[in-house]
């Protein structure tokens, strides 16, 4: 879908056209789901993802620039996760990752390792490895530049391997890259 | 990481590598359903629909509004340059003398410097039992208020409300020494955004930038004593030396994150 078409769909959805918003929902759902998975407990991902789109439907009229829809929606998803933590944490500091985790140990291990990376690496890697999105798709949905996505994927995957396969990390630089592009 | 790995990471339709594919395979069980669950969209809020209309109209009228605002600002500047107008209720004079004993929930204005307004419902109503008011300072202005052994300095570009329930920092920055009069009286309260601070004896600095683009969010530093901090369901004691900050979450959706406290490294 061309960028011009998408802006027209966002404008239509902003004006209240449900079919247009449903097209955006189908297109952006995997990316939003990955962002939610990067910030919230696995067991809550489906509900929170739906919440993000419901909230976006109501708040969309506040978006002035249709071309920024992707970045705006991803930020809505992050904010929804922050709200979720604020409402649900009993006391004390917010846990880095939520519980419960998926049942299989090997999945838990990878997800925990991804959870220890910086947020930008986490989100990008989950879009690629869980949702199967390509680099250009990730860039188009998040508003990141293709170069930033490539860097996040490269460095994030390298750090992930270093955590899970220390022996395969012999070629890694002693100066670990931290942070990432959001 | 090999070039093949990198190519496959970027483009899943390229020749796959065992390294990346292993992780994909392990995480496949977490992938969302192919057919997305139905989204039952409720009717959009009336106010949100109104915002659409405002947005649509905004671009059309933006130039006209800008011209009108510019003209109004120029007129206001001309008026203020010609004859400094008196504020509605109380204001320090040019010599920086204290405002007339404005009582704000029992707080007394000790000194005002610069352009600051103290609005006290007591003065207006001549009713000594009314117990709320506010101090608002302009650029380069400050105000100092006392009550018993407590002292608050309101810095420039700030607004502090004085209510029966305590102080509320609406905007800007304050320095405060809050000391409860007696052991059997209620602790003193300061609200900053969603957070509530209570203390019987503490010295602190607090700041709050509620609007996007105005600053770093909200925060406070306990300089002496300790206070209890409540935000939502979070409650904890913050001792002297700790700084708590609620950072502004990045645009385009601006809101404050939760307060995070830390002891500064020295």
């Amino acid at each position: 879908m061309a960028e011009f078409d998408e802006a027209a769909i966002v404008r239509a959805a902003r004006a209240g056209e449900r079919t247009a918003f449903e097209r955006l929902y189908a297109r952006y759902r995997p990316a939003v789901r990955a962002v939610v998975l990067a910030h919230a407990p696995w067991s809550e991902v489906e509900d929170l993802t739906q919440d993000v789109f419901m909230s976006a439907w109501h708040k969309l009229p506040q978006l002035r620039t249709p071309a920024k829809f992707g970045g705006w929606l991803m930020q809505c998803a992050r904010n929804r996760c922050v709200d979720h933590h604020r409402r649900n944490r009993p006391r004390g500091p917010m846990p880095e990752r939520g519980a419960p985790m998926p049942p299989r140990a090997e999945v838990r291990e990878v997800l925990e390792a991804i959870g220890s990376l910086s947020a930008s690496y986490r989100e990008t890697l989950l879009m690629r490895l869980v949702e199967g999105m390509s680099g250009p798709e990730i860039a188009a949905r998040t508003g990141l530049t293709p170069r930033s996505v490539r860097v996040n994927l490269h460095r994030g995957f390298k750090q992930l391997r270093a955590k899970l396969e220390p022996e395969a990390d012999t070629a890694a630089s002693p100066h670990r890259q931290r942070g990432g592009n959001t | 990481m090999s070039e093949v790995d990198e190519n496959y990471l970027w483009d899943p339709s390229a020749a796959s590598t065992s390294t990346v594919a292993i992780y994909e395979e392990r995480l496949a069980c977490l992938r969302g359903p192919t057919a997305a669950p139905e989204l039952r969209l409720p009717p959009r809020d009336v106010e949100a629909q109104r915002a659409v209309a405002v947005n649509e109209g905004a671009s059309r009228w933006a130039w006209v509004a800008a011209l009108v605002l510019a003209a109004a600002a120029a007129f206001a500047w001309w008026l203020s340059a010609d004859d400094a107008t008196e504020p509605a209720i109380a204001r320090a004079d040019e010599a920086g003398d204290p405002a007339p004993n404005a009582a704000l929930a029992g707080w007394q204005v000790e000194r005002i410097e610069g352009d600051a307004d103290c609005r006290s419902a007591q003065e207006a109503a001549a009713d000594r039992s009314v117990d709320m008011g506010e101090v608002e300072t302009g650029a380069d202005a400050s105000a100092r208020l006392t009550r018993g052994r407590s002292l608050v300095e309101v810095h420039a570009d700030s607004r502090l409300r004085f209510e029966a329930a305590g102080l509320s920092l609406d905007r800007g920055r304050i320095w405060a020494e809050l000391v409860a009069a007696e052991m059997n009286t209620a602790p003193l309260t300061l609200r900053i955004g969603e957070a509530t601070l209570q203390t019987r004896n503490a010295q602190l600095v607090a700041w709050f930038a509620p609007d996007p683009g105005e600053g770093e969010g909200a925060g406070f530093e306990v300089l002496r004593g300790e206070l209890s901090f409540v935000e939502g369901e979070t409650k904890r004691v913050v001792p002297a030396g700790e700084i708590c900050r609620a950072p502004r979450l990045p645009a385009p959706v601006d809101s404050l994150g939760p307060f995070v406290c830390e002891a500064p490294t020295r």
Side-chain angles (χ1 to χ4, degrees):
Chain A
M1 185 187 293
E3 204 59 41
F4 176 79
D5 290 339
E6 181 163 303
I9 291 170
V10 173
R11 272 196 294 273
R14 195 173 63 178
E17 200 179 303
R18 290 171 189 231
T19 319
F21 190 80
E22 280 161 7
R23 288 178 71 181
L24 294 172
Y25 168 66
R27 184 171 163 81
Y28 279 87
R29 191 172 186 284
V32 167
R33 203 174 170 281
V35 170
V36 171
L37 184 57
H39 296 277
W42 169 78
S43 58
E44 317 253 351
V45 166
E46 295 305 332
D47 286 348
L48 286 173
T49 302
Q50 295 295 97
D51 283 358
V52 170
F53 281 99
M54 287 296 187
S55 165
W57 165 247
H58 288 297
K59 290 180 179 171
L60 190 54
Q62 297 166 16
L63 177 70
R64 286 176 179 271
T65 314
K68 292 184 177 172
F69 176 76
W72 175 82
L73 186 63
M74 297 308 132
Q75 193 56 47
C76 286
R78 293 182 197 109
N79 290 348
R80 179 67 190 87
C81 294
V82 170
D83 281 349
H84 175 78
H85 282 297
R86 290 175 82 163
R87 286 175 193 165
N88 291 282
R89 63 184 162 165
R91 274 181 190 186
M94 188 170 80
E96 184 66 25
R97 301 280 303 150
M101 297 292 258
R104 282 166 51 200
E106 57 183 14
V107 180
R108 262 204 318 267
E109 185 189 33
V110 180
L111 204 51
E112 278 173 355
I114 292 176
S116 67
L117 305 178
S118 73
S120 46
Y121 293 171
R122 217 153 66 206
E123 291 177 6
T124 317
L125 273 183
L126 289 169
M127 283 181 205
R128 172 64 189 86
L129 297 176
V130 173
E131 299 296 339
M133 296 167 66
S134 69
E137 279 176 327
I138 296 171
R141 301 295 184 278
T142 57
L144 290 174
T145 63
R147 187 176 179 281
S148 295
V149 173
R150 193 180 278 273
V151 168
N152 287 352
L153 282 174
H154 174 83
R155 291 181 183 166
F157 190 70
K158 199 169 167 184
Q159 288 186 12
L160 178 65
R161 283 196 77 195
K163 283 174 190 297
L164 294 173
E165 309 169 61
E167 70 282 0
D169 189 39
T170 48
S173 160
H175 303 291
R176 289 279 167 77
Q177 301 287 343
R178 299 188 71 84
N181 302 298
T182 51
Chain B
M1 191 162 53
S2 75
E3 195 179 331
V4 183
D5 279 344
E6 260 195 74
N7 289 340
Y8 182 59
L9 259 183
W10 182 250
D11 179 8
S13 66
S16 70
T17 68
S18 58
T19 319
V20 178
I22 286 170
Y23 288 98
E24 274 187 301
E25 206 175 294
R26 280 194 195 172
L27 296 173
C29 63
L30 300 178
R31 187 170 294 184
T34 318
E38 191 188 350
L39 195 63
R40 294 172 187 275
L41 294 173
R44 191 177 269 163
D45 303 341
V46 176
E47 283 188 13
Q49 281 301 132
R50 201 172 292 145
V52 174
V54 170
N55 274 345
E56 296 294 337
S59 56
R60 204 173 307 147
W61 293 99
W63 279 104
V64 177
L67 285 172
V68 170
L69 280 175
F75 182 66
W77 176 83
W78 176 76
L79 276 181
S80 63
D82 186 51
D83 179 19
T85 53
E86 289 298 316
I89 295 169
R91 179 180 180 173
D93 62 19
E94 287 180 5
D97 288 339
N101 200 21
L104 304 153
W107 288 81
Q108 302 292 314
V109 179
E110 189 179 289
R111 184 171 182 81
I112 293 181
E113 289 179 351
D115 188 6
D117 289 349
C118 299
R119 301 183 189 90
S120 164
Q122 282 182 309
E123 290 182 356
D127 177 357
R128 309 304 291 181
S129 66
V130 176
D131 59 0
M132 59 181 295
E134 64 181 32
V135 168
E136 184 164 18
T137 55
D140 302 316
S142 65
R144 185 179 168 107
L145 298 98
T146 59
R147 189 179 78 174
R149 290 161 60 201
S150 296
L151 176 67
V152 174
E153 287 187 353
V154 185
H155 292 197
D157 280 329
S158 303
R159 186 168 67 231
L160 183 66
R161 276 187 292 125
F162 297 78
E163 298 168 342
L167 309 178
S168 181
L169 180 60
D170 287 351
R171 171 169 58 84
R173 186 181 177 89
I174 61 167
W175 177 95
E177 181 154 53
L178 302 176
V179 184
E182 303 282 348
M183 282 308 290
N184 57 356
T185 55
L188 296 164
T189 300
L190 168 64
R191 285 187 60 79
I192 312 169
E194 298 294 312
T196 302
L197 316 181
Q198 287 196 319
T199 184
R200 304 197 68 82
N201 192 340
Q203 198 179 85
L204 67 137
V205 174
W207 60 92
F208 184 29
D211 297 322
E214 265 196 358
E216 59 179 321
F220 61 91
E221 179 177 3
V222 183
L223 304 171
R224 184 181 60 70
E226 65 176 26
L227 46 82
S228 69
F229 163 74
V230 181
E231 184 190 29
E233 292 181 346
T234 303
K235 185 173 183 180
R236 57 166 297 194
V237 172
V238 184
E242 281 204 15
I243 301 177
C244 301
R245 293 186 180 90
R248 180 166 300 290
L249 299 172
V253 178
D254 286 288
S255 64
L256 295 185
F259 274 81
V260 176
C261 299
E262 58 179 356
T265 52
R266 290 196 169 116

